[in-house]
Amino acid sequence: RFAEMRNVTAARNKPLMASSHSSRRKQQLKTKPINPFLRFSVILLTFLSLLSIALYSNRTRTRNEREAVAYSLWLEPPTTDDLSSRVENFIVENAKNDVAFKLHVTLLGPIYDENERAMVAKTENLVREIREKMMKKTTTTFNIRFPKGAQVGQTYFQCVYLEAELTSNLLHAREKAIELFDIRDARRYTPHMSLAYGDDSQGERLRLKLKADEVFKKAFSLSNTDEENEDETYEESFNATSVSLWKTDVEDKSCKSWRKVKEFPLFP
């Protein structure tokens, strides 16, 4: 009988012992440290995978841009405008290595695309949107002002320039262009009219700026016989009459391959 009772007790304790053994096993698994080599391998593989994806994406984008054509949207002043003639003279007189370009204020660019017909259609839609916005404001002038005078830049295409004021009309046109052309990585916008292109030193850029200040000095000062008001100033400006679509290969620093695709009048 004693043996029978011991067997019954053992049978009852068996599940408890098994459960205790299982709990200890789980605890050992939980507390067992991860192999450092395994952890390093996982991190390294993850890093290499992400790096491969980034390099592939960048290579694909670079290849697409290389195969596509670079376009730009320009706001151009009338050829009969007084400011136009003075800026054109300055560009020609100070051009280096025969680098000459048409005066303009870039609205958006470069825009890479292979379909010129689509680019023309989008530009036409953009001009229509700008025109409708202007009509709602009951105005027929797209005035671009340059209150700060000549400025020194840090890039080839912004060597020396006249900085334009970012007015509501200009901002609306810029945002609408970004939307219609589906530009997702638009750069910081500094509207301007370039006076010179070049990789000049800072000293040479400052020299050109001082020269520009002299050239445009009369435009900034009002002729006045009253001595108290002889230093009164006003800002340079022009009324943009059209938006132009240009092919502008940014690798061609001579600008000789640049050409106008089509011009769209803002107020026909």
Side-chain angles (χ1 to χ4, degrees):
R1 184 174 179 83
F2 176 78
E4 291 178 358
M5 292 180 62
R6 187 172 59 182
N7 290 337
V8 171
T9 303
R12 290 177 179 176
N13 291 337
K14 189 174 182 180
L16 295 177
M17 293 174 63
S19 176
S20 176
H21 178 73
S22 176
S23 298
R24 284 198 302 271
R25 179 64 178 168
K26 290 181 179 179
Q27 187 66 25
Q28 289 175 356
L29 291 174
K30 288 182 179 179
T31 58
K32 186 177 181 180
I34 299 176
N35 190 314
F37 178 76
L38 178 61
R39 176 183 295 177
F40 174 77
S41 300
V42 171
I43 294 174
L44 180 61
L45 288 174
T46 303
F47 172 76
L48 291 176
S49 299
L50 293 174
L51 181 62
S52 299
I53 294 172
L55 290 175
Y56 176 79
S57 299
N58 185 61
R59 190 162 53 247
T60 302
R61 178 180 175 183
T62 302
R63 184 171 63 250
N64 291 339
E65 290 183 354
R66 189 165 55 244
E67 293 174 353
V69 178
Y71 295 89
S72 293
L73 298 173
W74 289 3
L75 292 165
E76 298 184 67
T79 55
T80 56
D81 188 85
D82 174 61
L83 176 60
S84 298
S85 61
R86 286 183 284 113
V87 173
E88 282 182 347
N89 290 337
F90 186 90
I91 291 174
V92 172
E93 291 173 4
N94 295 278
K96 296 182 179 180
N97 301 320
D98 297 326
V99 178
F101 52 93
K102 293 291 184 181
L103 61 155
H104 63 279
V105 172
T106 300
L107 184 61
L108 185 64
I111 311 165
Y112 294 95
D113 203 289
E114 301 174 359
N115 191 335
E116 183 171 302
R117 183 176 296 180
M119 294 294 291
V120 170
K122 290 178 181 180
T123 306
E124 188 174 13
N125 290 338
L126 171 64
V127 172
R128 187 182 301 113
E129 292 276 359
I130 296 174
R131 190 181 300 143
E132 291 177 358
K133 179 75 173 181
M134 300 293 288
M135 290 178 64
K136 289 180 180 179
K137 298 174 66 174
T138 64
T139 180
T140 57
T141 57
F142 195 117
N143 189 251
I144 298 180
R145 303 190 291 269
F146 306 91
K148 296 183 179 181
Q151 304 291 313
V152 172
Q154 303 299 323
T155 64
Y156 180 89
F157 294 111
Q158 293 184 15
C159 181
V160 177
Y161 59 89
L162 296 176
E163 184 174 347
E165 180 182 354
L166 188 57
T167 61
S168 59
N169 287 337
L170 194 52
L171 181 60
H172 169 263
R174 165 81 173 182
E175 291 177 343
K176 185 56 65 174
I178 290 174
E179 176 186 334
L180 290 175
F181 286 87
D182 192 25
I183 304 300
R184 301 178 184 179
D185 56 349
R187 303 169 184 173
R188 179 178 175 273
Y189 189 44
T190 303
H192 65 279
M193 181 187 289
S194 290
L195 301 175
Y197 288 166
D199 289 319
D200 298 325
S201 65
Q202 189 70 8
E204 179 62 17
R205 291 171 191 253
L206 289 172
R207 187 191 69 79
L208 283 173
K209 177 197 180 311
L210 293 175
K211 190 173 181 180
D213 288 339
E214 290 296 322
V215 170
F216 297 102
K217 187 173 182 180
K218 290 183 180 180
F220 294 135
S221 300
L222 289 171
S223 299
N224 199 318
T225 55
D226 185 352
E227 293 183 356
E228 294 182 358
N229 297 323
E230 64 180 2
D231 292 330
E232 185 177 358
T233 61
Y234 71 98
E235 60 194 16
E236 291 276 20
S237 67
F238 74 83
N239 288 324
T241 56
S242 64
V243 175
S244 300
L245 176 66
W246 280 74
K247 281 187 175 180
T248 52
D249 181 4
V250 294
E251 300 298 325
D252 177 16
K253 292 188 175 182
S254 70
C255 308
K256 292 181 179 179
S257 66
W258 293 12
R259 72 172 183 85
K260 184 185 293 188
V261 177
K262 193 168 183 179
E263 184 173 358
F264 298 86
L266 284 171
F267 307 104

